[in-house]
Amino acid sequence: MNRRDNSTPTGHHGFRSFGRLVLLVVAVLLMLPVAAAQSNTLRIGYAATPLNTLDPHRASSMTDGNFMSLALETLVLLDADGSPIPHLATSWSVSDDSLTWTFQLREGVTFHDGTLFNAEAVKFSFERLLDPSIGAPARSEFIVISEVEAVDEHTVRFHTLEPYAPFIASLAHYGGNIVSPTAVQADPDGSSVRPVGTGPFVVEQLSSSQASATLARFDDYWGGSAGIERVTVRHFPEEAGATAALLANEVDLMFRLPVSQVPVVDSVPNVNVLTAPAFTTMYLGFNTAKAPFDDPRVRLALSHAIDVEAIHRDVLRGSAIAHAGPIGPSMFGYDPNLTAPGYDPERARELLAEAGVEDLTIHYMVWDVSDLVRMAELIQSQLAQVGVTLDIDVWEFSGFIGATAEGEMDMYYLTWSNSTGDADIALSSQFTCEQVGSRNRSRYCSEEYDALAVAQRSEMAPEARAAKISDALQHLVADAPWVWLGSQEWIVGVNESVEGYEIHPSGNFYIKDVTKR
Amino acid sequence: MAFLVAGYERQGATTITFVLRRLVGALPLLLGITLIAFLIVHFIPGDPAQVVAGPDADAATLELVRTNLGLDRPLHEQYAIFLGRLVQGELGTSFQSRQTVLSEILERYPRSLLLAVAALVIAIGVGIPLGVAAALKHGGWGDTFVSMLAVAGLSIPNFWLALMLIYFFSVQLKLFPTFGLESWKHLVLPALTLSTYTLALVARMTRSSLVEALNQDYTRTARAKGLRPLVVTYKHALKNGLIPTITVAGLSLGNLIGGAVVVETVFNINGLGRLTLQAVLARDVPLVQGSLLFIALNFVVANVLVDVLYGLVNPKIRFS
């Protein structure tokens, strides 16, 4: 045993030993990684479903679409209030019969692989999207396209099966991203991990984890090169881990910060929490094919029995926007005059009595996220006030989406994200008879409503169309297939060193002009 | 365990035959695991095609996805196709990422192996001395202390420990990164967290077997011969008492490689455990089969390694 003791500052050589200890600590600290200070790399973390693919023709999740926007571009873009603006297309027009859309394409645009962006590339991308052998999940949003025609190098024409007013907006959907035909033909599956587009950043690799990606600035970007050199994107599967990374300055920006972590992040001086309305609507759906939920009175009664404000306040910590119907304020077709049933337990009891419903027990399905289970418990206590029992059945998400599509539940919670900022996808996919058994989980089916939903699609004049959308929405709100929980907000934690970042309502990353101090 | 004490064969040659025989013998087990994995993913609720197509796919798209992935075929046919590929050394392609299952696994495996080995080194490096100390101070305060430590190691949840370590060492002291596995500094906290359970087992196992060995006749004989206490403890008692410790440590290697899901999640390390978990959650059938097969293979290899180590520690043990 070595008896000389250098490590305690209280020994005979206390002062010298202490000095050595300090030196040692300093030396160790110097050797440690400097966690921050990669000034020209933007380190994005996200706490949502993990990235699966960056191939627009394989993706099925909003998260995939959000990160695709770093590298891939669509013909049109939505501005902050949801109206379409030029992007890879500079202008467009529609024929008199409303069946043909002609687009002028931006000139001088190159793909990351050096090939030229042109009408053929647009044609190729949409034909791949619609190709049955690919089975693109986003295909159903574009099924109205009958033919894509490359008129000349910079003119492309879309022929549609029927007049379809939201066509322009639908082009902003991630399925409408344009990919390099050369790159896809060379390596079709490679597009999942290294998609080649025209955007301001080049995907170097989506890591095998499928949850993180590295991107580098594209110097030949048509809009001028980006303010930052590199972007890293990393998934955080665990809420507290995401917060720790943000607080330890190991990420600059935490996308979709869980609402439960906001108070912690808020208390830290150099990190700001930004919020913005999202195109994502939250709802409680009824299985309208099952008694007694096939009776609109029962659905309205339950809508009156649920205190949406309390859910927003106690579960979502105020991070939600209340509105009636599935269309939020930042989307085309929003109708501020719609009123939700509103919290009124007295009215709920009356309606239940009127419908002759007693001792109602509801089989409620939700998936295993702590906030959602808390929400379920709150709803359970609210419904108990009107004598209704809520039987909470917690699932794992993959099982949940299948079982709810099959209609195994009486009532369920789900969100619905629109990436086009237009009311149509919600109206046509979530409530029409045709979609019962797949997207229309509430199995709502009304011929009258179907006619209204179809009518707005072919109305080309925006104002007239908004009025028709409003008719459809009124019908829905009166019939109450869903309890309208309003829209979600994006919550993003951002380090002060990041300048110029704004949340886009779609969640997409249009961050070419973002810089880092 | 099928090793036996036997004659005087040449150790090397028998070891190789032994290892080969064990690996070949494990084939039915591995095959069985792929079948179980296949059946589990298909029989738990949740349609793999629906997960790939997303909750918002219409019926036509869902059917296209189902056909394209071959999920419309009868189950026995799907499994036969998997086996056919396996014979050719292919594990198939992930439904989600469109990359080959093998490349997905191999990209993650080094991280998991590194983490597991680091945890094992900590467990052995700290656990054995602790166990020895406790055995030597048998019944004293040091023994009690080690026992308490062992109970803590076995019962403190990794999840909580990981968050505490992150809070103190990363957020407050900024000594170690909170996530990832890019340098040795990234390795410290996750390896420490992951090691606790095995460390506790190793310490307890070492203590109890050493206490027992110290009371054996051969130890008494060694002492009686007048050997120094250190030699008696380390050369005679500990070497013999190490067999159970090797078993515990070696067998835990398989667990540490495939079962580090919690540690990988909290420290955001994309290892094999999380790959498997994500594959199950996404109903990615080929990936579930492939990763479970791979994890099982690790267990088999760890078992064989343990048996080989027995022979090295105690040359009296021979394989047959």
Side-chain angles (χ1 to χ4, degrees):
Chain A
M1 272 286 191
N2 190 343
R3 279 270 157 217
R4 277 188 307 167
D5 189 350
N6 287 333
S7 64
T8 64
T10 50
H12 283 300
H13 309 287
F15 186 74
R16 268 173 58 199
S17 310
F18 185 63
R20 276 185 213 173
L21 181 71
V22 170
L23 273 179
L24 184 74
V25 168
V26 170
V28 168
L29 285 176
L30 284 175
M31 280 157 54
L32 288 170
V34 189
Q38 295 147 302
S39 67
N40 234 342
T41 298
L42 184 72
R43 300 158 306 168
I44 301 177
Y46 68 102
T49 47
L51 264 180
N52 283 322
T53 171
L54 289 173
D55 185 337
H57 308 141
R58 300 276 185 204
S60 67
S61 92
M62 191 75 166
T63 313
D64 294 345
N66 289 153
F67 287 111
M68 243 176 251
S69 62
L70 289 165
L72 305 181
E73 294 182 310
T74 46
L75 293 180
V76 302
L77 201 66
L78 300 173
D79 70 6
D81 34 87
S83 31
I85 50 173
H87 202 35
L88 283 178
T90 51
S91 63
W92 50 84
S93 60
V94 61
S95 64
D96 290 340
D97 63 359
S98 308
L99 288 172
T100 307
W101 299 80
T102 307
F103 291 80
Q104 289 305 315
L105 303 180
R106 195 174 291 280
E107 296 184 20
V109 176
T110 50
F111 284 107
H112 302 150
D113 62 0
T115 56
L116 272 183
F117 162 77
N118 55 20
E120 281 301 330
V122 176
K123 181 177 157 72
F124 175 86
S125 296
F126 279 91
E127 284 178 350
R128 183 165 184 259
L129 170 71
L130 295 167
D131 181 353
S133 73
I134 299 280
R139 183 174 175 269
S140 49
E141 318 300 354
F142 297 90
I143 209 73
V144 74
I145 298 173
S146 60
E147 197 201 337
V148 188
E149 188 191 339
V151 180
D152 61 38
E153 188 72 1
H154 294 108
T155 310
V156 71
R157 202 168 277 156
F158 290 83
H159 299 274
T160 62
L161 296 168
E162 54 188 75
Y164 187 60
F167 185 66
I168 294 293
S170 72
L171 292 178
H173 189 280
Y174 60 76
N177 276 303
I178 309 301
V179 292
S180 156
T182 320
V184 172
Q185 280 155 352
D187 181 10
D189 282 343
S191 307
S192 275
V193 288
R194 281 178 304 277
V196 178
T198 55
F201 297 96
V202 182
V203 180
E204 289 183 339
Q205 182 74 33
L206 177 67
S207 100
S208 82
S209 65
Q210 301 307 318
S212 45
T214 50
L215 300 96
R217 178 158 73 193
F218 180 40
D219 288 321
D220 295 330
Y221 183 58
W222 58 267
S225 60
I228 28 189
E229 277 167 23
R230 300 183 65 77
V231 179
T232 61
V233 174
R234 190 178 184 106
H235 178 237
F236 284 81
E238 209 278 310
E239 295 187 356
T243 310
L246 192 59
L247 300 189
N249 194 16
E250 287 178 65
V251 296
D252 301 309
L253 190 152
M254 186 59 71
F255 181 59
R256 305 197 75 164
L257 191 70
V259 95
S260 58
Q261 301 296 306
V262 171
V264 188
V265 177
D266 251 343
S267 66
V268 179
N270 58 344
V271 182
N272 299 319
V273 177
L274 309 182
T275 59
F279 289 152
T280 304
T281 180
M282 301 171 283
Y283 68 94
L284 304 172
F286 295 108
N287 184 346
T288 63
K290 220 170 177 180
F293 310 98
D294 54 347
D295 184 340
R297 286 173 302 182
V298 175
R299 302 196 297 260
L300 271 175
L302 296 168
S303 305
H304 280 303
I306 290 167
D307 186 353
V308 175
E309 214 180 291
I311 294 174
H312 286 186
R313 185 185 60 230
D314 299 336
V315 180
L316 304 172
R317 293 167 207 260
S319 180
I321 300 143
H323 58 82
I327 306 302
S330 51
M331 290 169 62
F332 180 81
Y334 170 66
D335 181 356
N337 299 320
L338 284 178
T339 41
Y343 182 52
D344 187 351
E346 202 49 49
R347 180 83 188 119
R349 277 187 218 103
E350 279 170 30
L351 281 166
L352 284 175
E354 210 180 297
V357 172
E358 282 171 33
D359 299 326
L360 179 60
T361 298
I362 299 174
H363 175 212
Y364 177 73
M365 277 178 50
V366 69
W367 70 97
D368 51 356
V369 170
S370 58
D371 279 346
L372 297 184
V373 176
R374 282 204 296 136
M375 186 191 290
E377 286 161 358
L378 183 60
I379 294 169
Q380 188 178 48
S381 69
Q382 291 170 354
L383 290 180
Q385 305 288 313
V386 298
V388 172
T389 312
L390 193 73
D391 198 357
I392 302 172
D393 189 4
V394 182
W395 285 58
E396 169 261 331
F397 192 68
S398 294
F400 173 87
I401 58 170
T404 45
E406 304 267 318
E408 283 182 27
M409 69 299 165
D410 297 334
M411 190 168 126
Y412 64 104
Y413 170 87
L414 198 55
T415 61
W416 188 79
S417 299
N418 180 323
S419 28
T420 68
D422 186 279
D424 178 61
I425 305 187
L427 299 184
S428 299
S429 75
Q430 304 294 303
F431 306 102
T432 51
C433 301
E434 191 197 350
Q435 303 287 346
V436 169
S438 59
R439 302 203 269 183
N440 180 352
R441 286 180 164 72
S442 63
R443 313 196 149 227
Y444 176 74
C445 181
S446 142
E447 278 178 28
E448 210 180 319
Y449 169 79
D450 275 10
L452 293 171
V454 169
Q456 57 80 23
R457 263 185 256 174
S458 51
E459 176 57 65
M460 304 307 262
E463 270 176 42
R465 184 165 171 246
K468 288 190 172 175
I469 291 175
S470 191
D471 292 344
L473 290 174
Q474 271 165 24
H475 189 96
L476 275 183
V477 171
D479 246 4
W482 291 2
V483 180
W484 320 104
L485 297 184
S487 288
Q488 281 183 344
E489 279 188 320
W490 297 112
I491 309 177
V492 182
V494 189
N495 195 290
E496 272 184 352
S497 62
V498 177
E499 285 178 344
Y501 172 74
E502 276 173 33
I503 304 172
H504 190 269
S506 64
N508 286 354
F509 288 90
Y510 302 117
I511 57 163
K512 185 182 86 68
D513 297 325
V514 166
T515 53
K516 235 181 109 180
R517 257 187 289 136
Chain B
M1 312 236 155
F3 62 85
L4 286 173
V5 182
Y8 302 94
E9 297 97 327
R10 280 192 306 126
Q11 173 100 22
T14 21
T15 307
I16 292 167
T17 348
F18 168 78
V19 169
L20 284 178
R21 203 183 305 147
R22 281 292 298 272
L23 290 178
V24 172
L27 283 181
L29 170 79
L30 295 176
L31 216 57
I33 281 167
T34 64
L35 181 62
I36 291 168
F38 178 81
L39 292 176
I40 287 176
V41 198
H42 278 286
F43 285 110
I44 51 175
D47 169 6
Q50 174 91 64
V51 180
V52 172
D56 252 323
D58 63 5
T61 306
L62 184 61
E63 284 324 300
L64 278 180
V65 169
R66 197 185 306 285
T67 316
N68 291 345
L69 294 177
L71 289 164
D72 56 336
R73 295 163 195 256
L75 282 188
H76 64 270
E77 212 174 293
Q78 291 183 39
Y79 188 67
I81 291 171
F82 167 77
L83 285 186
R85 285 212 196 101
L86 193 63
V87 171
Q88 297 163 32
E90 268 182 59
L91 287 172
T93 307
S94 157
F95 285 171
Q96 293 282 349
S97 71
R98 317 292 306 177
Q99 306 301 297
T100 66
V101 168
L102 193 64
S103 69
E104 293 273 359
I105 292 172
L106 290 183
E107 285 230 34
R108 305 228 186 175
Y109 185 56
R111 263 174 257 157
S112 283
L113 191 66
L114 179 66
L115 185 60
V117 168
L120 195 61
V121 166
I122 297 175
I124 293 171
V126 180
I128 292 183
L130 277 182
V132 170
L136 294 179
K137 305 274 182 214
H138 180 45
W141 64 267
D143 190 17
T144 318
F145 176 71
V146 171
S147 294
M148 278 167 58
L149 218 59
V151 170
L154 291 176
S155 53
I156 289 178
N158 272 350
F159 180 77
W160 181 84
L161 181 64
L163 287 179
M164 289 300 117
L165 290 176
I166 288 178
Y167 180 74
F168 285 109
F169 291 100
S170 305
V171 176
Q172 294 296 322
L173 299 174
K174 302 202 189 306
L175 284 177
F176 299 105
T178 62
F179 67 84
L181 200 57
E182 277 92 55
S183 72
W184 68 267
K185 282 146 204 150
H186 288 82
L187 190 59
V188 176
L189 298 184
L192 204 61
T193 312
L194 188 60
S195 72
T196 49
Y197 189 86
T198 312
L199 193 157
L201 279 184
V202 166
R204 284 176 65 146
M205 198 55 79
T206 308
R207 178 196 167 276
S208 56
S209 47
L210 187 57
V211 166
E212 201 181 307
L214 284 171
N215 290 325
Q216 292 292 323
D217 288 344
Y218 60 79
T219 316
R220 210 175 310 133
T221 311
R223 273 203 205 99
K225 280 198 297 188
L227 292 177
R228 283 183 299 150
L230 266 180
V231 177
V232 174
T233 308
Y234 290 99
K235 257 195 127 170
H236 294 253
L238 184 61
K239 215 168 171 185
N240 283 297
L242 224 45
I243 297 279
T245 308
I246 291 174
T247 314
V248 167
L251 295 188
S252 69
L253 185 65
N255 255 331
L256 294 174
I257 289 174
V261 182
V262 171
V263 170
E264 287 178 11
T265 301
V266 180
F267 288 100
N268 203 350
I269 294 166
N270 292 311
L272 209 52
R274 255 183 78 200
L275 178 77
T276 314
L277 178 68
Q278 278 168 10
V280 174
L281 292 180
R283 307 289 188 276
D284 196 331
V285 185
L287 199 52
V288 174
Q289 281 171 306
S291 52
L292 285 184
L293 179 66
F294 200 76
I295 289 171
L297 192 65
N298 271 292
F299 269 97
V300 171
V301 170
N303 271 350
V304 174
L305 266 178
V306 167
D307 288 351
V308 172
L309 268 180
Y310 286 151
L312 295 181
V313 172
N314 188 346
K316 271 171 76 183
I317 298 172
R318 290 285 189 277
F319 314 106
S320 76

